[in-house]
Amino acid sequence: MVDMGNGRSLGRRNKYVIALITAVISAVVLASCVMSTEEADAKSVVASFVEALNERDAAAAAAHTSYPNAAESAIQQMFDGLKPEDAQFDLTQFMDLGSDSGFFTVGAAWNFGEGKDWSYQVQGGVRHLSVGWRISWDPSILAPDLGNGRIVRYDRTDAAPPRIFDAAGALLMNEQTINAITLDPATMPDPVATTRRLAEVLEPVAPLVTADTMMADLAQKPGEQVTAVLLRDQDYLYLEEDLNIPGVVVIKTPKLITADRRITTPLLDPLRKVWQANRDATAGWAVHLVDPDGTLIPQAGFQGPPGPDIVATMDSRLQLAAEEAVVSVGTPASIIAIQPSTGAVLAAAQNNQAMEQGPITFQGLYPAGSNLDLIKKAAGLQKGVDPSSLSMEDIAKAGNQFGLGMNYNVPGLDHQTAVFTADQSGMNQVMNRKNEDLPAVTPFGMAMVAASIARGSAPAPMIVQGQPGTTEVAAQPLPANVTDQLRAMMRDNVVRGGASLLNGYPDLIGMNGASGDDRWFYGSRGDLAFAVLVADADGGDRAVKMTDMLFREMAKPAS
């Protein structure tokens, strides 16, 4: 007989075993699922961190770290310090190290412009904390060796600055240290005593800086630092020992200035633009880690060779002669000289009254008046009509042959030559507000007229050798018979006309011009063309007299 009871017991035991095995398998599967979920959670935290970096969201990225406040500050500084054109972060590796930790690698690629790239990889850890998975905060997960108070920064780097030489090869401009002697109210216990003492120290080099003027400056800007005077190094070194005065600080700044302090011209700022373009073209770059003490630790970058020195067209001797001539009157005055054969601007001088109005030599438009008489004569000769019958369109077209209204693109130089009609581009921006009669010309424009007559065609003006101005449409040359007649008229004006004061210069040709109280003289002598303006003149021959003084100054031996 079969024992049915034992069979039932065996069946029950089998059921129990099967149930137990099923439970074990279910537990293993469940544990496996839990572990997979936790691993995904850890990786997703790192992925979210990387995504926030790509969005440059410092707060969102920092929220995935174990120390959000410190992380946000460091991440924000990284983006602010580097200011990239583009930055890309990628999670390149993730490893599960158990139920409560993981390891990851992130690749970073920064771009700061064409050819300026910085790439690297960093590593970090992620841990399961009471608040969930968090990236273990360490600044080095942002960039290699970051931490210990360091910051990261993108810097422009420059090689040795170029120098600017004049047409004769003499040093015209170079970068020098300018010392700003500054009054600091925060460290000045007695402003009256400080300003009085500083005025006494500055008197040998800056007699116009007085205690009263400094006190007035301080009163206008309560609590702010005020610059008393700017000194070149040689002047500063002479006074340095005496400048240890309470409330006086010295701020040193490199600046491109003239080697000869006597030279003051509206050409200086245009030459600075050319110089800066030279530096920009050869500038290098660097990514630095910066220690708390300011020590720079290079990470990436490149420094190219210095740019070439610059040769200006300026003739320093002629420039100084022009400066002596323009200060002979008490109203705004300007002299500009151009070499007809090359278009080189040899000199540009303004007196203080003109300087107060800006660079009028190149941008100051004044009513043309009789300055256009020769233009009208040339137009009439070419059209075979009486000049009085010409339209403004005819005059403007003829003016182009003399370089007027040609809109030359001269590297570094912002300028106007003439405005014939109110719809010409730029007229409202540059027109002298008290002289809105049209047509209008600038001293530069009239020097171009003189150079064009001397040459027979309009030269391409330039202020730097090898960088002539360009135009979309070249000026048409003047017919030879027209230039011959214009030159004869100008010579006759010097011999027996309104410029007879100058008839002692046998090779001079020139013409007077006038509009209201403004007086002009423009002409040429050999390979030198020029224009002279005396605005609001107190005499009809002021421009002629200034021209005579210019030539007499030019004849003096070099000092």
Side-chain angles (χ1 to χ4, degrees):
M1 281 183 72
V2 176
D3 189 347
M4 297 300 292
N6 291 338
R8 286 194 294 270
S9 298
L10 179 61
R12 284 197 296 271
R13 285 198 299 271
N14 289 339
K15 289 180 181 180
Y16 293 150
V17 170
I18 293 171
L20 179 60
I21 292 172
T22 301
V24 170
I25 293 173
S26 297
V28 170
V29 171
L30 180 60
S32 176
C33 291
V34 170
M35 289 179 66
S36 297
T37 302
E38 289 182 348
E39 179 181 341
D41 287 345
K43 186 175 181 180
S44 68
V45 166
V46 180
S48 296
F49 172 76
V50 171
E51 182 181 357
L53 290 180
N54 280 319
E55 294 174 356
R56 304 190 192 186
D57 188 337
H64 296 293
T65 71
S66 60
Y67 194 174
N69 289 340
E72 181 177 356
S73 177
I75 295 168
Q76 192 62 55
Q77 188 285 313
M78 176 178 67
F79 286 116
D80 291 345
L82 293 175
K83 295 183 177 66
E85 290 191 8
D86 186 43
Q88 294 292 326
F89 301 87
D90 294 298
L91 177 58
T92 59
Q93 182 185 31
F94 182 84
M95 295 177 59
D96 174 31
L97 299 180
S99 61
D100 63 353
S101 65
F103 172 85
F104 64 87
T105 302
V106 171
W110 300 81
N111 176 261
F112 308 101
E114 186 176 356
K116 301 176 181 178
D117 297 289
W118 180 38
S119 299
Y120 56 82
Q121 287 198 336
V122 290
Q123 298 174 337
V126 58
R127 296 186 64 82
H128 191 270
L129 306 178
S130 60
V131 292
W133 287 100
R134 292 292 186 271
I135 293 169
S136 298
W137 170 244
D138 187 311
S140 64
I141 66 174
L142 300 179
D145 301 320
L146 196 61
N148 299 316
R150 290 173 175 168
I151 62 172
V152 62
R153 189 177 74 200
Y154 173 87
D155 291 317
R156 168 182 167 135
T157 62
D158 286 296
R163 298 166 295 174
I164 301 179
F165 294 91
D166 70 7
L171 182 63
L172 177 62
M173 303 178 75
N174 64 332
E175 190 175 73
Q176 300 180 34
T177 299
I178 295 298
N179 302 273
I181 311 305
T182 305
L183 297 167
D184 181 14
T187 60
M188 190 186 306
D190 187 344
V192 173
T194 292
T195 53
R196 182 184 299 119
R197 190 171 159 192
L198 181 57
E200 293 173 354
V201 173
L202 295 176
E203 200 277 334
V205 297
L208 298 181
V209 179
T210 66
D212 290 339
T213 61
M214 287 186 281
M215 287 296 292
D217 290 340
L218 288 169
Q220 288 181 358
K221 299 179 179 180
E224 297 183 27
Q225 290 189 348
V226 172
T227 299
V229 68
L230 301 176
L231 297 179
R232 294 175 181 239
D233 257 351
Q234 55 266 45
D235 292 331
Y236 171 70
L237 294 175
Y238 174 71
L239 303 175
E240 183 177 14
E241 293 182 359
D242 298 323
L243 287 172
N244 187 19
I245 303 170
V248 174
V249 295
V250 180
I251 301 173
K252 295 178 176 289
T253 307
K255 185 176 181 180
L256 181 68
I257 60 176
T258 57
D260 185 340
R261 69 180 69 204
R262 296 175 299 171
I263 292 180
T264 58
T265 168
L267 282 171
L268 295 184
D269 282 341
L271 287 173
R272 289 188 178 104
K273 290 181 181 179
V274 174
W275 180 86
Q276 189 60 53
N278 178 306
R279 301 217 78 186
D280 292 345
T282 60
W285 66 282
V287 173
H288 288 120
L289 296 182
V290 186
D291 273 337
D293 64 0
T295 300
L296 300 180
I297 306 169
Q299 300 297 298
F302 171 77
Q303 178 57 63
D309 288 331
I310 298 164
V311 180
T313 59
M314 183 187 297
D315 181 322
S316 293
R317 284 193 62 188
L318 178 56
Q319 175 65 36
L320 291 172
E323 290 180 20
E324 287 294 327
V326 293
V327 298
S328 63
V329 298
T331 59
S334 166
I335 294 176
I336 177 169
I338 295 176
Q339 188 176 46
S341 62
T342 65
V345 178
L346 302 175
Q350 298 181 185
N351 61 7
N352 289 337
Q353 292 84 352
M355 287 290 190
E356 291 174 358
Q357 298 181 10
I360 67 167
T361 300
F362 296 102
Q363 299 179 32
L365 285 158
Y366 293 83
S370 61
N371 279 333
L372 294 186
D373 286 353
L374 291 184
I375 309 297
K376 295 175 182 178
K377 178 68 175 178
L381 288 171
Q382 293 177 84
K383 293 181 70 68
V385 300
D386 187 285
S388 63
S389 66
L390 294 168
S391 68
M392 186 53 64
E393 182 180 354
D394 293 329
I395 297 170
K397 185 176 180 180
N400 291 165
Q401 294 178 287
F402 297 81
L404 294 182
M406 288 301 294
N407 298 321
Y408 291 98
N409 181 14
V410 182
L413 184 64
D414 295 327
H415 69 278
Q416 284 279 317
T417 52
V419 171
F420 291 98
T421 59
D423 60 354
Q424 277 189 256
S425 175
M427 187 278 290
N428 290 331
Q429 287 76 21
V430 299
M431 193 67 181
N432 188 318
R433 298 274 36 113
K434 71 169 186 170
N435 293 314
E436 295 185 346
D437 296 333
L438 296 179
V441 293
T442 65
F444 174 62
M446 293 313 301
M448 285 292 292
V449 170
S452 300
I453 296 172
R455 174 190 171 98
S457 62
M462 60 181 175
I463 64 172
V464 172
Q465 300 285 359
Q467 298 186 27
T470 58
T471 57
E472 293 183 1
V473 180
Q476 294 297 311
L478 291 162
N481 67 308
V482 172
T483 55
D484 287 344
Q485 290 193 52
L486 297 183
R487 291 168 188 162
M489 292 172 62
M490 296 168 76
R491 179 57 190 164
D492 186 68
N493 182 58
V494 171
V495 173
R496 60 183 62 85
S500 58
L501 174 67
L502 304 173
N503 62 16
Y505 304 103
D507 53 348
L508 174 66
I509 64 173
M511 188 63 67
N512 303 62
S515 178
D517 292 329
D518 298 337
R519 294 294 179 266
W520 299 77
F521 186 77
Y522 59 98
S524 63
R525 188 183 181 195
D527 201 18
L528 173 68
F530 60 89
V532 175
L533 164 67
V534 180
D536 300 323
D538 58 1
D541 59 353
R542 275 296 184 188
V544 172
K545 288 181 176 179
M546 186 174 289
T547 303
D548 180 51
M549 186 171 184
L550 170 66
F551 290 139
R552 286 189 281 113
E553 290 294 331
M554 289 171 59
K556 292 180 179 179
S559 58

